[in-house]
């Protein structure tokens, strides 16, 4: 149990386009989902926290109008990188916390590698 | 602001050795601390989670300790194997209502056959 998937696993896009990344909890209901970003040789940095049916809470320095997060159901959250630029190239990982598991436990997806040309 | 530091940044040892990976955090007011494993280009696998009230957790050849007052945790790997090669990440969930995790940069571990 407690499987989180992400799609796509890898995406390459042109500068100025928008990219949507999906995060799904496959076998549990995710009341809270987290989005992290990891630059090469850096630690994972929390971008935002989203609770199902509510607006996401963004960390300081993360532009909410650029990184649109939607958590419309208990099994799906999406991150849309709008007007992507090369500096947005990174590894994006989601995690989920949910029904039936410890409140302290987050389950991570496999990540999405975004390359903006 | 919570900061997490991991030492060493990289480690290469022959298989069979016992290892200690170190993690320190600046704010001792944490809910829990977690050790993860990350394989290249992959997501994270949770190894051990230690609640703030606990001193250690064990799973197989892995043992993690927590000294909250001094802001330190160690991950002990016994009888290392080539399959243990990965990046090990330490993360803390801080108090004050914060839900997300603060990660260290990780220790890149290579176990030589």
């Amino acid at each position: 149990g407690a499987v989180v998937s992400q799609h796509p696993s890898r995406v390459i896009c042109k500068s100025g386009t928008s990219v949507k990344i999906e995060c799904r909890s496959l076998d549990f209901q995710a009341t809270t989902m987290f989005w992290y970003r990891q630059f090469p040789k850096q630690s994972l940095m929390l971008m935002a926290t989203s609770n199902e049916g509510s607006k996401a809470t963004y960390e300081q320095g993360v532009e909410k109008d650029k990184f649109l997060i939607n958590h419309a159901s208990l099994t799906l959250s999406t991150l849309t990188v709008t007007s992507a630029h090369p500096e947005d190239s990174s590894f994006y990982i989601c995690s989920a916390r949910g029904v039936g598991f410890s409140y302290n436990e987050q389950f991570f997806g496999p990540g999405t590698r975004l390359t903006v040309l | 602001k919570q900061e997490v530091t991991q030492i060493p940044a990289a480690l290469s040892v022959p298989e069979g050795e016992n290892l200690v990976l170190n993690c320190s955090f600046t704010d001792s007011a944490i809910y829990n601390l977690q050790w993860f494993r990350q394989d290249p280009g992959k997501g994270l696998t949770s190894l051990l989670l230690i609640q703030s009230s606990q001193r250690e957790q064990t799973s197989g050849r892995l043992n993690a300790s927590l000294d909250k007052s001094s802001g330190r945790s160690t991950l002990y790997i016994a009888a290392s194997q080539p399959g243990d090669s990965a990046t090990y990440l330490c993360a803390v969930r801080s108090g004050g209502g914060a839900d997300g995790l603060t990660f260290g940069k990780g220790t890149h571990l290579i176990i030589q056959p």
Side-chain angles (χ1 to χ4, degrees):
Chain A
V3 178
V4 176
S5 70
Q6 281 184 242
H7 178 80
S9 58
R10 185 181 295 268
V11 58
I12 300 173
C13 68
K14 293 182 179 180
S15 184
T17 61
S18 293
V19 175
K20 179 184 286 188
I21 302 169
E22 293 185 348
C23 176
R24 293 182 185 273
S25 57
L26 298 185
D27 50 4
F28 68 102
Q29 293 181 321
T31 50
T32 304
M33 285 186 169
F34 305 88
W35 286 95
Y36 295 84
R37 178 169 53 184
Q38 185 180 33
F39 292 108
K41 298 187 178 181
Q42 299 295 315
S43 58
L44 277 77
M45 298 294 291
L46 179 65
M47 298 176 66
T49 302
S50 71
N51 294 299
E52 185 266 337
S54 303
K55 288 185 178 180
T57 301
Y58 290 81
E59 295 298 302
Q60 191 173 12
V62 178
E63 300 174 57
K64 62 180 181 180
D65 294 329
K66 181 171 183 63
F67 299 98
L68 302 179
I69 293 172
N70 183 284
H71 189 171
S73 79
L74 284 171
T75 59
L76 173 65
S77 176
T78 60
L79 168 67
T80 301
V81 183
T82 61
S83 186
H85 291 284
E87 57 265 30
D88 298 323
S89 298
S90 186
F91 193 54
Y92 293 86
I93 304 179
C94 71
S95 70
R97 180 178 68 203
V99 178
F101 295 96
S102 165
Y103 185 80
N104 290 310
E105 207 158 8
Q106 294 182 27
F107 301 97
F108 283 79
T112 296
R113 173 78 58 192
L114 171 63
T115 302
V116 184
L117 303 177
Chain B
K1 179 185 174 184
Q2 180 73 268
E3 293 183 5
V4 179
T5 302
Q6 290 187 246
I7 295 173
L11 185 61
S12 180
V13 299
E15 70 175 304
E17 286 199 8
N18 301 324
L19 308 170
V20 175
L21 307 183
N22 297 291
C23 172
S24 62
F25 45 95
T26 55
D27 186 348
S28 62
I30 64 169
Y31 280 131
N32 58 55
L33 181 144
Q34 204 162 355
W35 284 92
F36 294 89
R37 169 186 174 137
Q38 185 177 29
D39 292 283
K42 305 288 186 181
L44 276 63
T45 301
S46 178
L47 298 173
L48 291 164
L49 184 151
I50 311 176
Q51 304 290 359
S52 62
S53 59
Q54 297 175 321
R55 296 299 297 265
E56 67 175 348
Q57 283 286 332
T58 297
S59 176
R61 294 182 293 108
L62 304 179
N63 175 277
S65 66
L66 173 64
D67 183 342
K68 199 175 84 162
S69 61
S70 68
R72 296 177 188 272
S73 175
T74 60
L75 177 66
Y76 177 82
I77 303 175
S80 59
Q81 303 170 358
D84 295 330
S85 299
T87 296
Y88 290 80
L89 299 171
C90 169
V92 299
R93 182 177 167 222
S94 298
D99 266 351
L101 300 177
T102 302
F103 284 84
K105 290 185 179 181
T107 294
H108 181 54
L109 177 62
I110 296 175
I111 307 298
Q112 305 154 11

